[in-house]
Amino acid sequence: MGEVQELQLQIMVQEDKEANASEHTKDVNQSLLPRPRNCMWWLQMALYTLFILFGQSVATLLGRLYFNNGGKSKWMATLVQLVGFPILIPCYFISPHKHPTTTVICTKQPSALKLTSVYVSLGLLVAAHCYLYSVGLQYLPVSTYSLIRASVLAFNAFFSYFLNAQKFTAFIINSLVLLTISSILLAFQNDSAGSNEVSKGKYAIGFVCTILASAGAGLGLSLTQLCFQKVLKRETFSVVMDMIIYPCLVSTFAVLVGLFASGEWKDLNQEMNEFKTGKVSYLMILIWTAISWQVFMVGLVGLIFELSSLFSDAISVFGLPIVPVLATIIFHEKMDGIKGISMVLAIWGFVSYVYQQYLDHQETVKNKNEVSKASASDRSI
């Protein structure tokens, strides 16, 4: 009799566990449903896009200005891409209210060890590709640098296909091709900062480093989206801030180690004194470069969180042709037909991608309406 009761008790416990697991799975699936794409959502996406375009353009121009005026430290050029994260900390206290349609999440939060592993891994990857990008920006002409950097879109598409189950439609493929070609065209213009200023060896180093940096950046974007989907599983503003601040904290420490280990820190005072436009200009360039990259990061991670890493990367590549145009206005460089064609193709590719997002939104609305009609029909019966 005792054995029978014990067996019945085990069956009841197992059934209870299965019921809890079912509710847990239901909560997870509900929590990962996309937010309704209303006017406020589109306004937020536009704001993230502007952050990417503004931050990337200003930071790239300031980075070129740093090297053009006597800056030589690759580690310092890398550090300013990351060290500005403390200015984002106040965002925790002014974060927007939770969306009213967001499902209350009852899932078990990831452990501290798992979160630490995510932040450290992403932080080290960010530090690596930021340093490689700095090497490329120092040794390559702007046009060649932009060309190679555009390859991050192809790397991201490759990794997104395997890591994020990214679906490719005709409009997405069209967008990727146009955005890539728009940046490739920049290689055919005459750049004032030609490769004659550096040796062939340094030019080759810059070329290889920028390719590796693009691959690392593409992988990092896909991994960030994967972490949102599989590890964090939360739809809050603070999650976005965490995915910016903590990896930047890790990467900043890594770059500081490199700065002191390489011995470049010893030459920074001399570099500032010999800077062509003066000490104040030297400091302002570094400070505003750091701020601009953080603005860029908010837009980048925000679009990954709301849409996908591939869309976020497409916006970033769309901004690459903007840099030569701004350089024409700020540095009075010559504006030729190739730059104009590049901008037209970039805008075309961008619109193609946005139109795909619009079609996805319309399909979502259509499915919701069909579900609502079916539910109403069931209730009437």
Side-chain angles (χ1 to χ4, degrees), residues 265-278:
W265 66 275
K266 299 177 182 178
D267 302 324
L268 293 181
N269 188 49
Q270 180 182 356
E271 180 180 284
M272 181 173 61
N273 292 331
E274 297 177 355
F275 202 67
K276 294 179 181 179
T277 53

Side-chain angles (χ1 to χ4, degrees), residues 148 151-160 211 214-216 218-219 222 313:
I148 304 172
S151 64
V152 68
L153 193 61
F155 285 116
N156 185 214
F158 173 79
F159 291 121
S160 293
I211 283 287
S214 297
L219 176 60
S222 297
D313 200 20

Side-chain angles (χ1 to χ4, degrees), residues 130-183:
C130 283
Y131 176 79
L132 293 172
Y133 270 141
S134 297
V135 175
L137 187 60
Q138 183 180 21
Y139 292 152
L140 295 177
V142 175
S143 60
T144 305
Y145 174 78
S146 299
L147 159 65
I148 304 172
R149 187 173 175 180
S151 64
V152 68
L153 193 61
F155 285 116
N156 185 214
F158 173 79
F159 291 121
S160 293
Y161 179 79
F162 292 101
L163 297 178
N164 311 127
Q166 176 68 49
K167 295 180 180 179
F168 290 96
T169 65
F171 287 107
I172 289 180
I173 295 174
N174 179 65
S175 176
L176 296 178
V177 172
L178 290 174
L179 287 169
T180 303
I181 293 176
S182 70
S183 295

Side-chain angles (χ1 to χ4, degrees), residues 201-263:
K202 289 183 177 180
Y203 186 90
I205 292 174
F207 190 93
V208 173
C209 286
T210 309
I211 283 287
L212 293 177
S214 297
L219 176 60
L221 291 170
S222 297
L223 288 176
T224 300
Q225 182 181 349
L226 186 66
C227 290
F228 277 133
Q229 295 172 335
K230 303 298 184 181
V231 180
L232 300 174
K233 299 179 182 179
R234 288 179 291 164
E235 192 172 304
T236 61
F237 182 78
S238 63
V239 170
V240 178
M241 290 294 100
D242 289 344
M243 286 298 288
I244 298 173
I245 291 177
Y246 290 124
C248 280
L249 177 63
V250 173
S251 56
T252 297
F253 278 117
V255 172
L256 283 173
V257 171
L259 177 64
F260 285 96
S262 66

